[in-house]
Amino acid sequence: MRDANAFALRRALPRMSWSARNLFNLWQRSLGNKVVTFNNTSKSLFQQRWTAKALMRAYHGDFINEKIFKRWYLPATLPDVRPRNRTPISDTLALDDYAGRNEQKEEEDRKGLAPVGSLMMAEVERRIDVFIFRCCFTHSVYEARRLVIHGHVLLNGRKHTNANTRLAPGDMVSVDPASISFLQEPANVKDDVARAQNTDNDTADAVEESSSRSPEPTNEESSTEKLTPFNLPPYASPFIFLPAYAEVSFHTCSAVYVRHPTARPGYSEIPTPYDADGEIVRLAWEWYSKHRPRNRSKSQLARMPENRH
């Protein structure tokens, strides 16, 4: 983690984490007393853009250096979603009606334009550590980075230790079940189990002295011992969801990156704590559109993070 005080209640910046403090910060930014609105403010346009940029970057890749983020993770431009007004021709009216294009156009007019502003963070969602966190294999993106760096993650069947890799559609990511904290017994439970086993051993020794044969365990007890423990951290339910571009198999602790995230009218596949078409996302894009670097030298291209396209 780049900032040891990432979950400070005074700043209240939401992060990619299931922490209880992060949940409280998320509530403060959504419904509490730290909701940011620029409808009636004395801040200049520069200050508004700076504030929006800070809020977006705190959640989307706060562990990525700002210079690297601006150079490699920002798209050159956003898709054009302005409505294309076409004059219908009498010959195509019946065909459009039969194909359902008229209903689709009415639905787009009702929902409005697609919130493409959030797509400026699509490259961050392609990172292997962020993808592991989105698949609910870890409780934070920082834990996902640690698993990748320590060699507990396989990319297409091979060990992968570069957390900066951006996935391509069809890539399969597998996580070692022994390294997933949810599938391990808590420390206090392990101590209780060890004490119970010691007590059982002492009792078994005493029983063996009086009887040469002990009863066999029932099928229910043996099946219970084989179950994999599953212990979610407290307050984890608000964060448990799977994005549409991920195909996850919890039986094998693996996931497939199906496609790149996209947006359509009224919906964005980029998980974000802010309105996907709100003023925070729009002002953040305005900031980066004016301050992003334009040129990439050969030495900079040599340092580009791995991009599998």
Side-chain angles (χ1 to χ4, degrees):
M1 185 186 302
R2 295 180 57 86
D3 189 357
N5 199 23
F7 305 113
L9 301 181
R10 180 180 59 85
R11 293 188 296 173
L13 297 176
R15 312 281 183 172
M16 290 188 186
S17 173
W18 295 2
S19 170
R21 295 171 65 91
N22 184 61
L23 179 60
F24 180 72
N25 291 337
L26 181 61
W27 175 82
Q28 288 194 92
R29 289 295 180 183
S30 303
L31 301 173
N33 56 356
K34 290 186 178 295
V35 178
V36 177
T37 56
F38 301 110
N39 296 332
N40 186 13
T41 179
S42 59
K43 292 183 178 181
S44 63
L45 184 58
F46 176 88
Q47 292 174 326
Q48 295 178 28
R49 290 172 175 172
W50 173 269
T51 303
K53 186 269 298 185
L55 292 174
M56 289 290 292
R57 285 286 285 115
Y59 183 81
H60 296 279
D62 61 321
F63 45 87
I64 304 174
N65 183 273
E66 181 69 11
K67 183 182 294 186
I68 295 176
F69 177 82
K70 291 190 295 186
R71 190 175 299 279
W72 302 113
Y73 290 93
L74 281 177
T77 183
L78 292 179
D80 185 8
V81 295
R82 291 174 297 180
R84 297 172 175 81
N85 295 325
R86 297 185 305 170
T87 303
I89 305 175
S90 58
D91 297 338
T92 61
L93 287 177
L95 181 60
D96 291 344
D97 191 16
Y98 175 78
R101 299 192 188 99
N102 295 331
E103 297 179 358
Q104 182 179 1
K105 186 177 183 305
E106 293 176 359
E107 184 179 359
E108 292 180 355
D109 294 341
R110 178 175 55 84
K111 292 184 178 180
L113 300 179
V116 296
S118 59
L119 293 181
M120 67 177 172
M121 300 299 176
E123 292 296 311
V124 178
E125 296 296 321
R126 290 180 56 197
R127 287 176 57 99
I128 187 171
D129 50 0
V130 176
F131 182 70
I132 291 174
F133 169 70
R134 294 299 186 200
C135 295
C136 300
F137 290 138
T138 59
H139 59 80
S140 69
V141 70
Y142 315 111
E143 177 69 11
R145 285 176 56 81
R146 186 188 68 81
L147 294 182
V148 176
I149 294 173
H150 289 186
H152 299 299
V153 175
L154 302 179
L155 177 59
N156 296 330
R158 296 184 179 182
K159 182 190 292 187
H160 193 81
T161 57
N162 186 5
N164 300 319
T165 300
R166 284 174 284 179
L167 301 176
D171 284 344
M172 185 176 69
V173 178
S174 304
V175 183
D176 184 9
S179 62
I180 299 178
S181 59
F182 313 145
L183 306 182
Q184 312 301 324
E185 290 286 358
N188 54 354
V189 175
K190 291 182 179 179
D191 296 340
D192 297 340
V193 171
R195 295 194 197 98
Q197 289 178 351
N198 294 333
T199 304
D200 294 341
N201 292 335
D202 297 340
T203 306
D205 294 339
V207 171
E208 286 179 359
E209 295 177 358
S210 59
S211 176
S212 60
R213 185 176 180 181
S214 58
E216 297 181 357
T218 61
N219 294 333
E220 295 181 358
E221 294 177 355
S222 60
S223 61
T224 305
E225 294 177 356
K226 295 180 182 178
L227 293 178
T228 302
F230 184 72
N231 304 283
L232 283 176
Y235 308 103
S237 58
F239 304 101
I240 297 179
F241 64 92
L242 297 176
Y245 53 84
E247 187 70 28
V248 184
S249 173
F250 293 103
H251 296 285
T252 59
C253 296
S254 60
V256 177
Y257 183 78
V258 180
R259 54 179 172 78
H260 298 318
T262 183
R264 55 180 180 269
Y267 176 72
S268 175
E269 294 180 353
I270 303 293
T272 180
Y274 310 105
D275 185 5
D277 197 28
E279 52 189 358
I280 292 180
V281 176
R282 293 182 179 181
L283 289 173
W285 170 252
E286 290 178 8
W287 167 270
Y288 281 118
S289 63
K290 291 182 176 297
H291 294 82
R292 69 186 307 271
R294 300 293 179 181
N295 300 323
R296 296 173 179 174
S297 62
K298 291 183 178 180
S299 60
Q300 293 169 349
L301 289 173
R303 298 193 299 269
M304 181 177 65
E306 182 180 356
N307 187 1
R308 297 177 53 83
H309 299 285

